[in-house]
Amino acid sequence: MKRELVCKLAEIYGCNPNDLIKYWLADKVYSILNDEDTAGQVIAMVAEEMPEYSKSSASTV
C-alpha cells in the first residue's frame, strides 16, 4: 500500500492520518526486520540517528 492510499483511507474513515501512517510504517519495519536476529540493535541504531530520539534519550541519561 502506498502512503497516499493510507491518507485517503484516514480521510474516508474520519481517522487521524498520522495515526494510520504510524501503524503503516510500523508494519513495514516489522516486515523487514521480523526474521532478523539483530532487529533490536538495528532499531536502536536508527533511533540514535533520528534527532528527536537522540535528544530525548540524551536528556534522560
Side-chain angles (χ1 to χ4, degrees), residues 1-12 20 24:
M1 182 179 303
K2 293 186 177 186
R3 184 183 195 104
E4 296 81 23
L5 184 54
V6 174
C7 293
K8 192 66 169 170
L9 286 171
E11 182 182 319
I12 290 169
L20 284 185
W24 174 70

Side-chain angles (χ1 to χ4, degrees), residues 24-46:
W24 174 70
L25 288 170
D27 184 62
K28 291 171 84 65
V29 170
Y30 179 80
S31 68
I32 292 169
L33 295 177
N34 183 34
D35 296 324
E36 297 295 329
D37 294 333
T38 58
Q41 294 169 332
V42 171
I43 290 173
M45 287 173 59
V46 171

